[in-house]
Amino acid sequence: MITLRRLNNAEFVLNAEYIESLESTPDTVVLLTTGKKIMVRNSLEEIVQKVIHFKQMCNQTVTIINSVPPLTDSLKAD
C-alpha cells in the first residue's frame, strides 16, 4: 500500500498492485487495472519510488530475532 494525495490535498492509501500505468499530463494520472483513473498531486517519480519501496518490503524475508529454544529432555515435565 502506498500513500498518495488527491488534487484537493486529501490523503489516501492505494494498493500499488492495482497500478497499471502512470501519466504526467501535467497532473499525474494513475490508471488502475480496474480502468479507474485517479489524478494526484504526487509526482511521477515519487510514485515510482513509493512502488519500488513497497515491492521491496513485500519481498523481504522474515527474520526471527528473539526465538525461544525448545526444551531439552532434562527440562521437560514428566
Side-chain angles (χ1 to χ4, degrees), residues 25-53:
T25 61
D27 295 317
T28 306
V29 179
V30 181
L31 177 62
L32 305 180
T33 56
T34 62
K36 184 175 180 179
K37 289 183 177 184
I38 304 171
M39 294 178 72
V40 296
R41 286 190 174 274
N42 307 78
S43 70
L44 192 95
E45 295 80 14
E46 181 184 358
I47 297 171
V48 169
Q49 287 303 311
K50 286 180 179 233
V51 171
I52 290 170
H53 183 257

Side-chain angles (χ1 to χ4, degrees), residues 57-73:
M57 296 297 289
C58 288
N59 291 319
Q60 284 185 349
T61 57
V62 176
T63 304
I64 299 172
I65 51 178
N66 189 13
S67 65
V68 178
L71 292 175
T72 61
D73 288 337

Side-chain angles (χ1 to χ4, degrees), residues 73-78:
D73 288 337
S74 63
L75 296 176
K76 289 183 182 176
D78 294 322

